[in-house]
Amino acid sequence: MPTAATPHAPHVVVVGGGGTGGAVAHDLTLRGVRVTLLERGEITSGTTGRHHGLLHSGARYAVKDAESAVECIQENRVLRRIAAGSFEENDGLFVAITPTDLEYLPRFVEACLACGIPAEVLTAAQAREREPGLGPDVLAAVQVPDATMDAMRLPLRFFATAQRNGATIRPWTTVIGLRRDGAAVTGVVVRDDVTGREAELSADLVVNAAGPWAQQIADLAGVQVPVRCSPGVLVAVRGRWCTMVVNRLHDSGDGDIVLPQRSLSVIGTSSWVVDDPDELHLPEDHIHTMIEQGARLVPAVAGAEMRAAWSAVRPLIGDSGSTTGRELSRTFKCFDHAERDGVAGFVTISGGKATTLRAMAEATADVVCRHLDVDRACRTRDVPLLPHTAYRSLVEGGPGSAPRRPARARSAGRRPPAVRTTPPDGAAGRDTGATRTLRVYRWKPGDAPALVDYEVPVEPRTTVLDALRTVRRAQDPSLTVRHSCCHSSCGTCGVLVNGAEVLGCVTTLADLPSGIVTVEPMANAPVLSDLVVDTTALSEQLERSGRALIRASADLGPGLPAPTQLEDCVECGLCVSACPIAGSDADYLGPAALNAAWRAVAEPRGADPEAVLAWVDDHDGCWRCHLSFACSEVCPTGADPAAGIMHLRGALTRRHLVPHRTRDGTRTSGTEERTVAR
């Protein structure tokens, strides 16, 4: 890795902490530029963390949007190389289920091949053999190199690498103005939502990478960018009902993708346009369409329990005449406002896909470096990215952190609130006018903790996270809370609700007892600000465990390759919050790290199982656990850390009691081996 930029290097401020902003910061730091990245919430909390997690092959756009298709397949290959281990490389199927779909097949295959996208035509029998979850109406299919990724953790690898190379990442920092010198932009005016202080930050150039909010930032410079905000509804159901990404073989439409992600199946998506990306609703008919259309491809999703429904806003390049967003290209564009509008020192990047974030960053960095007279070529096609666990927000672990909040005494029979997936008849999708009181823990560095009540509007599907976001948007922008994916895949929104560890994104207010809903930060970790706790120790332990993010899943049968999938553990830390030992012993590794260690032992994927076992074979390791099973009780994904700890103990017991050969070929007794391990 290169060294950080020198103090005299040009300084660029990047506005927007989504995947594109992180990739821009990564590219510029590799070219020796000093970078400060600003995000009004948590990193990836806008559009980036809420897409369905598809690494596009480009096939979806090959017929009508060849430019986007070529971008996708090229970046698909680059990302697999620089971010190896981040993807479920299970491929995708485009499935024909009607005669009209079948007529579309030759044109689809021809377009894919013209864009450089491998496309293998399968008969109905071949398709069902490779993907047993398909419905009986399949007439034919085309296999392409789609893949599944973690919407949050892939971008975190860009942030981690940029930060390691000197970039400053500042979440919960809202840009409220731009510094000007005549027609030139010379910096930004920001509000720190943790401290409440406003300040000016000078820059040689400002990059607007705010995605759907790009026009709001452009307004501060007095320029226009042709960005259309196009939301889409997605639905996640419990159960992994397909192995590959299953697409409908037709022009893009509603509910025509079913994607496996961890132990969920994600169905997407609808499309419409809005003026304000913060004013999103969840139309009930869109949810029903997702289930209905998804079930035509993978019938099992129709009977599956709904885990979550949410919407995400695409920042598409196009004019105001678009009514649905589907008619707009998925390509990206970098706007050089010096050339376009006569406003120097200001560049906007928008459009594109999560798959093309690196290419978007390269195009932007080329423009930036031309203006700053930085003569260094892009290196991001070849530089491997650090693991996502290497990312650290600079506010984490700082001197202003509050003390660890110990876990409360726990009643033996308590469980987290159940998530109801079906609203009451007649109430779905309608604003009932009802409200609930949220009593939210508030704490900022230098202040005394307090519980503050907020009255929030409630609809049938309103979650705790929805309510907290409403508070931040409409009542108190200083409230800080982590969130990203909205369907229990990222794990960032872990909180205590009425004293129970839950993910706010899948805990609906309608499922909680009547009365005040109390929301507090997780226990057993230092509080950084309000509901945000310091997860540095957890990330460091997970990185040390050597656990791979992608693991092998169950064998499908003779002749079929074992598929891969993302780890069940979403690194939320709820198990640590619930653990009574973690509350009394700061040196205890904790259930999340121990479960990760077991996964590394059970399926090494490059880790050294002996070294991992030696690490956990300690008083503060797996022997410290008293098996209260609180960790598994609160786990939102069924990762079952208590079972992982028991497996570790079993492996260590066998290791100590059964003589075996060491690496140099000599035989040792269990006692001798333990001495070596410790």
Side-chain angles (χ1 to χ4, degrees):
M1 291 288 182
T3 58
T6 67
H8 303 293
H11 180 219
V12 171
V13 168
V14 178
V15 182
T20 303
V24 169
H26 169 56
D27 192 313
L28 289 174
T29 57
L30 287 178
R31 303 195 202 201
V33 176
R34 289 190 298 126
V35 175
T36 300
L37 183 143
L38 309 173
E39 165 58 41
R40 68 175 184 171
E42 173 61 294
I43 298 304
T44 77
S45 60
T47 295
T48 290
R50 283 184 269 171
H51 70 83
H52 42 37
L54 174 60
L55 180 69
H56 279 276
S57 64
R60 185 171 178 82
Y61 309 117
V63 173
K64 290 192 172 181
D65 190 0
E67 182 180 9
S68 296
V70 171
E71 291 167 354
C72 284
I73 187 59
Q74 290 176 346
E75 292 306 304
N76 179 307
R77 293 170 176 139
V78 172
L79 290 176
R80 290 179 194 242
R81 183 172 66 251
I82 66 173
S86 289
F87 310 104
E88 297 181 7
E89 299 187 1
N90 299 335
D91 279 359
L93 287 180
F94 278 78
V95 179
I97 59 175
T98 68
T100 302
D101 295 348
L102 202 57
E103 292 174 2
Y104 186 76
L105 188 151
R107 186 157 53 111
F108 174 80
V109 173
E110 181 181 358
C112 284
L113 297 179
C115 293
I117 303 166
E120 179 186 2
V121 179
L122 306 176
T123 65
Q126 289 172 324
R128 276 192 288 266
E129 181 182 15
R130 298 186 189 187
E131 182 49 76
L134 295 177
D137 297 332
V138 174
L139 302 175
V142 181
Q143 187 165 340
V144 298
D146 284 340
T148 298
M149 62 179 168
D150 190 303
M152 179 192 74
R153 288 175 178 82
L154 173 66
L156 283 187
R157 299 188 67 168
F158 285 89
F159 283 102
T161 312
Q163 191 166 248
R164 181 70 59 86
N165 290 326
T168 299
I169 313 295
R170 292 181 56 180
W172 299 294
T173 303
T174 302
V175 174
I176 58 176
L178 296 177
R179 288 181 54 179
R180 302 289 292 268
D181 182 3
V185 172
T186 60
V188 296
V189 183
V190 301
R191 181 185 67 241
D192 186 320
D193 290 330
V194 174
T195 66
R197 290 192 291 268
E198 295 183 4
E200 293 188 356
L201 185 63
S202 63
D204 296 291
L205 190 143
V206 174
V207 173
N208 175 13
W213 296 269
Q215 184 57 57
Q216 295 180 11
I217 302 300
D219 285 340
L220 300 176
V223 299
Q224 294 290 314
V225 290
V227 174
R228 291 294 281 161
C229 299
S230 175
V233 167
L234 299 99
V235 173
V237 299
R238 289 187 183 273
R240 193 177 173 89
W241 302 111
C242 53
T243 297
M244 291 189 273
V245 180
V246 179
N247 307 259
R248 178 82 177 272
L249 185 59
H250 66 177
D251 288 336
S252 297
D254 292 346
D256 60 355
I257 301 176
V258 183
L259 178 145
Q261 189 182 73
R262 293 191 167 86
S263 57
L264 302 174
S265 296
V266 179
I267 311 164
T269 177
S270 58
S271 183
W272 71 100
V273 295
V274 297
D275 293 325
D276 185 350
D278 285 315
E279 289 295 332
L280 288 183
H281 298 281
L282 201 58
E284 191 70 20
D285 59 327
H286 287 225
I287 296 173
H288 293 319
T289 297
M290 295 304 102
I291 298 295
E292 178 184 308
Q293 294 301 318
R296 297 189 69 182
L297 298 171
V298 182
V301 302
E305 177 187 357
M306 189 185 299
R307 179 59 163 167
W310 71 101
S311 59
V313 185
R314 313 170 187 89
L316 303 180
I317 302 299
D319 58 36
S320 59
S322 172
T323 57
T324 69
R326 292 212 183 275
E327 63 269 34
L328 299 179
S329 171
R330 268 42 176 179
T331 191
F332 59 85
K333 186 171 179 61
C334 183
F335 300 95
D336 182 347
H337 295 290
E339 296 180 358
R340 184 174 181 265
D341 305 294
V343 178
F346 191 60
V347 170
T348 295
I349 176 65
S350 196
K353 305 288 297 179
T355 301
T356 61
L357 79 171
R358 190 217 61 83
M360 295 170 70
E362 179 179 351
T364 306
D366 285 345
V367 172
V368 170
C369 289
R370 185 174 70 246
H371 280 291
L372 299 179
D373 293 325
V374 174
D375 186 17
R376 296 189 182 181
C378 176
R379 298 174 52 210
T380 59
R381 290 177 179 270
D382 302 306
V383 173
L385 298 171
L386 292 173
H388 73 277
T389 47
Y391 170 71
R392 300 286 183 274
S393 170
L394 292 184
V395 300
E396 294 202 358
S401 298
R404 290 161 56 96
R405 301 178 69 250
R408 292 176 173 80
R410 321 184 66 77
S411 58
R414 193 185 68 181
R415 296 292 189 277
V419 178
R420 186 177 63 200
T421 60
T422 305
D425 290 340
R430 189 181 73 237
D431 185 351
T432 63
T435 63
R436 291 288 295 270
T437 300
L438 255 62
R439 180 163 292 168
V440 183
Y441 178 95
R442 301 300 306 273
W443 179 85
K444 304 291 187 184
D447 294 342
L451 291 172
V452 179
D453 289 355
Y454 301 96
E455 203 74 15
V456 295
V458 177
E459 296 182 6
R461 295 186 186 274
T462 300
T463 66
V464 170
L465 178 58
D466 291 334
L468 291 170
R469 291 172 61 202
T470 296
V471 170
R472 178 172 167 81
R473 182 177 71 251
Q475 300 183 47
D476 189 348
S478 70
L479 175 65
T480 49
V481 57
R482 278 199 172 118
H483 69 86
S484 187
C485 74
C486 295
H487 68 287
S488 74
S489 181
C490 74
T492 55
C493 66
V495 288
L496 295 179
V497 174
N498 295 341
E501 283 84 2
V502 299
L503 292 179
C505 68
V506 290
T507 303
T508 59
L509 293 177
D511 286 307
L512 299 174
S514 60
I516 294 173
V517 177
T518 302
V519 187
E520 300 170 278
M522 292 190 300
N524 300 333
V527 177
L528 296 173
S529 172
D530 299 330
L531 301 175
V532 179
V533 299
D534 187 346
T535 59
T536 300
L538 174 61
S539 293
E540 289 174 346
Q541 290 168 348
L542 291 173
E543 189 170 358
R544 183 178 177 185
S545 75
R547 180 209 65 166
L549 183 63
I550 303 293
R551 64 181 177 88
S553 59
D555 190 356
L556 292 179
L560 295 176
T564 60
Q565 70 178 69
L566 290 158
E567 267 291 351
D568 290 335
C569 174
V570 294
E571 304 167 6
C572 62
L574 292 179
C575 59
V576 178
S577 176
C579 176
I581 305 302
S584 60
D585 184 353
D587 294 326
Y588 175 45
L589 289 180
L594 291 172
N595 200 27
W598 168 245
R599 173 56 65 188
V601 171
E603 187 183 332
R605 292 291 184 93
D608 181 353
E610 290 295 312
V612 174
L613 286 172
W615 174 47
V616 301
D617 188 12
D618 189 84
H619 172 73
D620 291 318
C622 69
W623 305 109
R624 185 71 175 89
C625 172
H626 287 185
L627 294 177
S628 73
F629 296 101
C631 55
S632 292
E633 187 177 313
V634 303
C635 179
T637 63
D640 200 358
I645 294 172
M646 292 298 291
H647 285 308
L648 278 178
R649 288 182 170 182
L652 285 169
T653 299
R654 291 188 295 274
R655 185 170 178 256
H656 297 324
L657 296 180
V658 179
H660 60 281
R661 293 188 181 277
T662 61
R663 293 187 186 91
D664 62 5
T666 61
R667 293 176 63 83
T668 67
S669 67
T671 302
E672 290 168 338
E673 180 66 15
R674 180 166 185 132
T675 301
V676 171
R678 290 173 63 85

